[in-house]
């Protein structure tokens, strides 16, 4: 029977039967565990952490290096099952370098395998995959996200109560100023509430420091394209991963730990927020409340500006606008850009997906262009494949130039 090889972010449908997820680890002694998550992306209680000291819960069990999920037995309140691998805490200094391998097997169905990209940031915990409900069935998604903050950090991220580890002092992100001197961006709140975002937040901090932006403030907004052609990228976790990276940037520019998110679809733009304490699976939860359609970009832009003005914020707005295809309302988009130039609003259009993006790429191509508060960043078909340092350079470069002008 043919085996499906998954890449990071990809998913495959499952039968609603007994499913065995087997983990193979090289180079480090490791433990395998599972988390049962409710609709809010968090455990219902501490019993939803399944590991060697609590090996079974509601149809999910852990034995050795394998997680078994009896999908037909999972209660309706369990929306996802997350498979986790953690370096043995009894081996001081043990970290993942080579990524663990995962095999997903069901009787009478093709198996699937996943090997995440190798890790380079001293990760001690890896979220390998997640089983999640889709309609009346189940799917499995290859995740491959590493944590450098240990199992306690991951457990806290998903709502498991753990005893805090003693610490001599908060752990700031060390960055370089443009003069080469060290400056600290206090990411203590992020480390406490969302330790899984600490590494990307540090990368964002470095990109800002390299451009003389340490200590500068801005209100970060995120507009997401919800056209039909984006369905695959929502399904593959790519949009969620992109939003997490924007949230990590926001932690360096605005300490409230919240990014307003506006979905651009065929109807009235849908505004919600993603926060440090709810970001896990947040985009997946929200976008199912939004109709698919042909994105009304100008309306989404108007909604973001109205929210910014109503907030009374004294700092400028950095509105990251993800686009996957050409806008049908080009004239209105241009008008919005012109009308907001004096409002302290900077627009960064980030292109990814399969559509054409010539309109956005060429906004400032003409010598007569007047959009001083606009830039475009091409993040490829999947921004998750762009290394963190390069991603944040593309995200903040033009914004930093605008802030200094």
């Amino acid at each position: 029977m043919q085996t499906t090889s998954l890449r990071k972010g990809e998913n495959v449908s499952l039968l609603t039967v007994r499913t065995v997820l087997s983990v193979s680890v090289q180079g480090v002694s490791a433990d395998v565990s599972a988390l049962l998550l409710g609709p809010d992306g968090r455990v219902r209680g501490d019993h939803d952490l399944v590991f060697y000291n609590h090996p079974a819960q509601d149809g999910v069990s852990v034995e050795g290096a394998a997680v078994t999920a009896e999908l037909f037995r999972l209660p309706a309140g369990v929306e996802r099952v997350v498979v986790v691998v953690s370096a043995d805490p009894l081996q001081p200094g043990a970290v993942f370098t080579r990524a663990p391998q995962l095999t997903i097997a069901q009787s009478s169905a093709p198996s699937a395998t996943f090997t995440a990209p190798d890790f380079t940031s001293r990760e001690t915990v890896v979220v390998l995959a997640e089983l999640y409900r889709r309609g009346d069935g189940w799917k499995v998604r290859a995740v491959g996200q590493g944590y450098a903050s240990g199992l306690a950090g991951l457990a806290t991220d998903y709502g498991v109560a753990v005893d805090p580890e003693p610490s001599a002092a908060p752990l700031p992100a060390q960055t370089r100023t443009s003069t080469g001197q060290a400056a600290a961006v206090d990411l203590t709140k992020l480390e406490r509430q969302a330790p899984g975002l600490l590494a990307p937040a540090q990368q964002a901090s470095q990109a800002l420091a390299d451009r003389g932006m340490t200590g500068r403030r801005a209100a970060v907004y995120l507009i997401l394209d919800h056209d039909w052609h984006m369905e695959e990228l929502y399904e593959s976790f790519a949009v969620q991963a992109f939003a997490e990276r924007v949230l990590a940037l926001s932690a360096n520019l605005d300490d409230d730990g919240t990014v307003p998110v506006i979905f651009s679809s065929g109807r009235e733009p849908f505004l919600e927020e993603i926060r440090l304490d709810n970001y896990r699976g947040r985009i997946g939860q929200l976008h199912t409340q939004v109709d698919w359609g042909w994105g009304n970009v100008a309306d989404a832009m108007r909604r973001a500006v109205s929210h910014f003005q109503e907030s009374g914020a004294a700092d400028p707005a950095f509105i990251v606008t993800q686009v996957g295809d050409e806008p049908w309302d080009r004239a209105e988009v241009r008008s919005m850009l012109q009308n907001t130039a004096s409002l302290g609003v900077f627009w960064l259009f980030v292109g990814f997906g399969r559509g054409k993006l010539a309109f956005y790429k060429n906004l400032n191509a003409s010598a007569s262009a007047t959009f001083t508060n606009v830039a475009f960043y091409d993040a490829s078909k999947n921004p998750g494949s762009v290394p963190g340092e390069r991603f944040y350079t593309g995200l903040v470069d033009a914004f930093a130039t605008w802030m200094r002008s």
Side-chain angles (χ1 to χ4, degrees):
M1 196 173 295
Q2 188 175 4
T3 298
T4 301
S5 180
L6 297 175
R7 293 177 297 179
K8 184 173 181 176
E10 291 184 332
N11 62 77
V12 65
S13 296
L14 298 172
L15 302 176
T16 308
V17 298
R18 183 174 184 267
T19 305
V20 180
L21 301 100
S22 303
V23 180
S24 174
V25 181
Q26 297 182 3
V28 62
S29 177
D31 298 318
V32 175
S33 56
L35 289 164
L36 282 63
L37 308 180
D40 61 352
R42 298 170 73 82
V43 296
R44 300 165 299 169
D46 293 351
H47 57 276
D48 279 344
L49 172 59
V50 184
F51 65 117
Y52 54 84
N53 275 343
H54 177 57
Q57 179 69 41
D58 288 340
V60 176
S61 60
V62 171
E63 183 175 358
V67 173
T68 299
E70 306 278 0
L71 297 180
F72 53 90
R73 289 184 52 201
L74 265 67
V78 175
E79 291 286 334
R80 290 192 289 155
V81 177
V82 175
V83 178
V84 179
V85 189
S86 53
D88 187 348
L90 298 180
Q91 288 189 336
V95 297
F96 289 107
T97 52
R98 299 190 63 181
Q101 296 178 319
L102 178 69
T103 301
I104 304 108
Q106 294 186 308
S107 59
S108 70
S111 61
T113 61
F114 169 57
T115 302
D118 289 339
F119 299 104
T120 60
S121 300
R122 300 189 62 78
E123 287 86 350
T124 58
V125 174
V126 177
V127 175
L128 265 188
E130 62 175 9
L131 307 172
Y132 63 100
R133 294 185 189 271
R134 180 59 70 194
D136 294 330
W138 286 85
K139 286 190 170 186
V140 61
R141 176 183 291 120
V143 179
Q145 176 169 341
Y147 282 70
S149 51
L151 188 58
L154 175 135
T156 303
D157 221 10
Y158 284 107
V160 180
V162 295
D163 294 328
E165 298 179 3
S167 176
L171 297 179
Q174 292 298 322
T175 61
R176 295 190 309 271
T177 65
S178 57
T179 61
Q181 297 176 337
V185 175
D186 189 358
L187 296 177
T188 307
K189 180 177 180 179
L190 180 143
E191 183 194 6
R192 183 178 67 253
Q193 294 188 334
L197 295 180
L198 185 58
Q202 290 172 328
Q203 293 169 342
S205 176
Q206 186 64 67
L208 290 167
D210 287 344
R211 284 149 189 82
M213 289 283 289
T214 298
R216 301 296 294 270
R217 314 292 287 171
V220 178
Y221 285 76
L222 177 61
I223 295 176
L224 294 173
D225 187 349
H226 206 256
D227 288 2
W228 283 105
H229 60 262
M230 290 293 299
E231 185 174 11
E232 179 184 349
L233 291 168
Y234 279 93
E235 186 77 9
S236 70
F237 204 61
V239 181
Q240 169 73 35
F242 175 70
E244 290 179 12
R245 280 177 149 183
V246 173
L247 181 60
L249 170 66
S250 174
N252 287 274
L253 294 169
D254 186 351
D255 64 0
D256 72 352
T258 300
V259 173
V261 179
I262 301 166
F263 291 87
S264 168
S265 67
R267 297 187 178 180
E268 183 178 349
F270 177 70
L271 186 148
E272 255 292 347
E273 60 185 30
I274 183 170
R275 306 190 307 268
L276 296 180
D277 63 355
N278 75 355
Y279 76 94
R280 285 287 183 184
R282 179 68 168 164
I283 299 303
Q285 296 161 10
L286 292 176
H287 96 86
T288 57
Q289 304 175 47
V290 185
D291 291 333
W292 296 106
W294 301 108
N296 192 334
V297 181
D299 273 358
M301 294 169 68
R302 272 189 285 270
R303 187 70 182 88
V305 172
S306 294
H307 185 281
F308 172 61
Q309 292 179 311
E310 291 167 5
S311 73
D315 300 309
F318 182 18
I319 304 180
V320 179
T321 306
Q322 180 267 319
V323 290
D325 206 347
E326 299 284 88
W328 60 266
D329 48 353
R330 291 176 176 80
E332 290 188 65
V333 171
R334 287 182 177 275
S335 177
M336 278 296 301
L337 297 177
Q338 290 173 339
N339 294 339
T340 57
S342 61
L343 298 180
V345 174
F346 184 85
W347 302 94
L348 178 69
F349 293 101
V350 180
F352 67 85
R354 303 181 184 278
K356 297 179 180 179
L357 300 168
F359 171 81
Y360 300 105
K361 291 179 181 179
N362 295 325
L363 277 171
N364 282 328
S366 170
S368 60
T370 58
F371 303 124
T372 57
N373 59 329
V374 178
F376 174 80
Y377 171 49
D378 189 345
S380 76
K381 291 184 177 179
N382 184 353
S385 64
V386 181
E389 296 82 358
R390 188 161 50 127
F391 174 83
Y392 283 115
T393 295
L395 215 59
V396 306
D397 203 19
F399 174 64
T401 300
W402 177 76
M403 286 281 282
R404 292 193 302 265
S405 62

